[in-house]
């Protein structure tokens, strides 16, 4: 692997290991009933005088070289809790230890029969808390890293080593996604995103193509170019389409992912008013997730799966040259589109790259197309914070991709809920007058539009020409849309990197790990393509 954490991680077989200044003990059991004797005894005595220990993080002295233990209880009510409780415990535990002055923690990861990935999720929670956003670590390098070293204490060193390897691989992608998604509108303006990607993927083995020529954008990506018109007046804001391609020597499956990368969304001519513009630097988290996933692909180098990630990077600016409602323009697929609202720019900048991906798919083996976007406020209202939504076209839905993706996302604590594209969604976006094929949007916010998150998926299918590749066509193509508006993270908190973890777990066959609790075989593939990743890529 090329990615390395900025702090050392060692595996220890005993809590008596030296060189650590605190132990983090994470457990769902009653205090004093499990764990090393020195720790369980200390907890058993402490709970006699303070019952709050059963529910609150506690720091206690312990007769071990590390001298203190940070006890982190994990609430597990199987009726209401899921594996995220373990990730949250890992995050809270490391943050509390930092407050206590711990710089070299030794961590004892929990186990639970109902949550087979709980150790991996706990460790990812630790990594999540130790992340420092790109701009802060650039401006204040002395604050990074937060710890000098981490120890993982376990008797089964082989298993814990596999968990660590998996966690570091997943973190490599989440790190990239959080860097791009979480930075402000200037630090990650389109030109800066290009610079970051070129650096992050140097010597990765991936082919990188950056499309920035204005005439080429106008000709080949006309809907994207329309959104880019106002921003293009400012050199540092000029749009970029970044194509990352991983292609092995032989291919059995192909995956094409297009991400929405709006570095800042003013709403354009239909300007966001009433204070709702703040936070719109997170409108690039779809492209950020594409970059994160491609980082993991570059680390693992699957044997026979072609993966293409397309980052559609643009700023939706307002100005004398901005595109406006009522304009009629042709998409790359030669579909006549009428603009209804310039604040529906996300679907505009993805439709042409999706058409381009479709063209590549028609020349590829067993393709699956995907779009990822912080697309609608409606999605946020539908699920609340922390959840993504998945929608399949009829071809992908027939293969039950949505169901399997949802289950894998539950297993890794990066939840994706299921939605559906219906006939009403297509009807909503079909042209309303002679001379127009597709209506881009109505003139109401998605949060006040019935089926406000499903409709845009139908628009993407229509505007890209994917409707010509349905179940009854000569060449059916699977297509999946993910709306991550609820999961990407809100300013000022760090970006989450969602749904990189879910997509990665879905994509990599964990052949040595039992998923019986999810009632499906671990070798089953989500998108068809993932069963061909090397079984040694990720395993626990």
């Amino acid at each position: 692997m090329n990615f390395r954490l900025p702090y050392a991680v060692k595996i220890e077989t005993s809590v008596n290991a030296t060189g650590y200044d605190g132990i983090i003990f994470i457990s769902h059991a009653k205090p004093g009933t499990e764990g090393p004797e020195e720790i369980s005894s200390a907890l058993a005595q402490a709970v006699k005088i303070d019952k709050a220990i059963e529910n609150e993080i506690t720091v206690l002295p312990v007769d071990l070289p590390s001298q203190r233990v940070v006890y982190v209880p994990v609430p597990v009510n199987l009726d209401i809790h899921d594996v995220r409780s373990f990730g949250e415990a890992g995050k809270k535990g490391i943050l509390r230890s930092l407050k206590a002055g711990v710089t070299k923690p030794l961590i004892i990861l929990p186990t639970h029969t109902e949550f087979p990935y709980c150790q991996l999720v706990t460790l990812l929670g630790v990594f999540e808390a130790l992340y420092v956003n790109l701009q802060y670590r650039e401006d204040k390098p002395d604050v990074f890293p937060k710890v000098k070293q981490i120890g993982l204490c376990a008797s089964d060193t082989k298993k814990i080593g596999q968990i660590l390897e998996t966690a570091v691989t997943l973190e490599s992608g989440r790190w990239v996604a959080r860097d791009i998604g979480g930075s402000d509108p200037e630090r990650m303006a389109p030109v800066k995103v290009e610079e970051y990607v070129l650096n992050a993927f140097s010597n990765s083995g991936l082919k990188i193509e950056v499309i920035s020529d204005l005439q080429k954008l106008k000709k080949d990506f006309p809907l994207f170019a329309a959104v880019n018109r106002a921003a293009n007046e400012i050199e540092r804001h000029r749009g970029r389409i970044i194509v990352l391609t991983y292609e092995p020597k032989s291919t059995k499956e192909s995956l094409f992912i297009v991400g929405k990368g709006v570095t800042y969304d003013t709403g354009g001519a239909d300007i966001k008013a009433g204070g709702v513009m703040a936070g719109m630097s997170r409108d690039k988290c779809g492209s950020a997730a594409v970059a994160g996933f491609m980082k993991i692909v570059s680390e693992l180098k699957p044997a026979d799966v072609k993966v293409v990630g397309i980052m559609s990077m643009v700023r939706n600016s307002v100005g004398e040259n901005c595109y406006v409602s009522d304009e009629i323009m042709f998409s790359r697929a030669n579909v006549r589109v009428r603009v209804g609202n310039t604040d529906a720019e996300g679907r505009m900048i993805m439709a042409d790259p999706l058409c381009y991906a479709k063209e590549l798919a028609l020349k590829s083996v067993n393709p699956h197309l995907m779009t990822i976007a912080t697309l609608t406020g409606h999605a946020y209202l539908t699920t609340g914070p922390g959840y993504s939504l998945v929608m399949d076209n009829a071809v992908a839905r027939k293969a039950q991709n949505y169901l399997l993706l949802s289950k894998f996302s539950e297993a890794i604590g990066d939840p994706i809920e299921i939605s559906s594209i219906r006939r009403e969604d297509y009807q909503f976006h079909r042209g309303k007058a002679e001379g127009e094929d597709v209506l881009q949007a109505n003139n109401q916010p998605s949060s006040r539009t019935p089926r406000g998150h499903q409709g845009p998926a139908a628009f993407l299918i229509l505007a890209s020409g994917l409707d010509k590749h349905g179940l009854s066509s000569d060449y059916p193509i699977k297509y999946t849309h993910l709306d991550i508006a609820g999961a990407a993270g809100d300013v000022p908190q760090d970006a989450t990197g969602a749904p990189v973890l879910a997509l990665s777990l879905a994509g990599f066959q964990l052949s040595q790990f039992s998923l019986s609790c999810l009632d499906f075989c671990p070798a089953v593939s989500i998108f068809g393509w993932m069963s061909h990743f090397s079984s040694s890529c990720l395993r626990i």
Side-chain angles (χ1 to χ4, degrees), residues 64-134:
L64 288 167
S66 300
Q67 297 187 337
R68 54 189 160 180
V69 60
V70 179
Y71 170 64
V72 187
V74 184
V76 180
N77 178 337
L78 295 179
D79 290 328
I80 60 174
H81 292 134
D82 55 52
V83 74
R84 288 177 296 174
S85 294
F86 292 92
E88 291 160 0
K91 185 176 181 178
K92 292 176 181 177
I94 195 70
L95 291 175
R96 180 64 182 87
S97 71
L98 292 173
K99 286 185 177 181
V102 176
T103 61
K104 296 180 180 179
L106 179 62
I107 303 172
I108 302 175
L109 298 174
T111 60
H112 197 292
T113 56
E114 296 297 323
F115 300 106
Y117 287 92
C118 68
Q119 290 185 311
L120 172 61
V121 173
T122 304
L123 185 53
L124 286 168
V126 172
F127 290 168
E128 180 183 2
L130 292 177
Y131 170 82
V132 176
N133 71 74
L134 176 64

Side-chain angles (χ1 to χ4, degrees), residues 129-149:
L130 292 177
Y131 170 82
V132 176
N133 71 74
L134 176 64
Q135 286 177 265
Y136 192 36
R137 67 179 191 262
E138 287 178 336
D139 295 341
K140 298 285 186 180
D142 57 307
V143 304
F144 179 75
K146 295 179 180 178
V147 296
K148 297 177 181 178
Q149 177 179 301

Side-chain angles (χ1 to χ4, degrees), residues 123-238:
L123 185 53
L124 286 168
V126 172
F127 290 168
E128 180 183 2
L130 292 177
Y131 170 82
V132 176
N133 71 74
L134 176 64
Q135 286 177 265
Y136 192 36
R137 67 179 191 262
E138 287 178 336
D139 295 341
K140 298 285 186 180
D142 57 307
V143 304
F144 179 75
K146 295 179 180 178
V147 296
K148 297 177 181 178
Q149 177 179 301
I150 288 178
L152 300 178
C153 186
S155 57
D156 189 342
T157 58
K158 181 179 179 180
K159 180 181 178 182
I160 207 71
Q162 291 171 340
I163 289 173
L164 174 59
E165 182 181 354
T166 301
V168 172
T169 302
L170 293 174
E171 184 64 9
S172 72
R174 186 168 61 170
W175 189 288
V176 167
R178 297 180 82 187
D179 275 1
I180 295 174
S183 295
D184 77 21
E186 289 299 321
R187 178 60 186 86
M188 279 297 167
V191 176
K192 291 290 188 180
V193 174
E194 176 189 354
E195 293 175 1
Y196 180 93
V197 168
L198 291 175
N199 181 63
F201 289 91
S202 62
N203 303 315
S204 66
L206 271 61
K207 177 185 175 183
I208 305 174
E209 179 186 7
V210 180
I211 304 171
S212 59
D213 179 75
L214 184 58
Q215 296 309 312
K216 183 174 178 59
L217 290 172
K218 287 179 178 179
K219 178 178 179 293
D220 295 340
F221 303 91
L223 301 185
F224 174 96
V227 178
N228 183 50
R229 268 185 357 213
N232 197 70
E233 301 295 326
I234 309 297
E235 184 174 354
R236 69 183 188 276
H237 293 165
R238 290 174 180 170

Side-chain angles (χ1 to χ4, degrees), residues 309-340:
I310 305 175
M311 303 170 64
S312 189
M313 307 305 307
V314 72
R315 179 179 170 117
N316 189 22
S317 295
V318 60
E320 60 187 7
N321 199 31
C322 64
Y323 86 120
V324 295
S325 298
D326 299 343
E327 286 192 51
I328 296 177
M329 57 192 73
F330 285 96
S331 72
R332 181 186 179 98
N334 203 35
V335 174
R336 195 172 171 90
V337 175
R338 179 164 66 87
V339 177

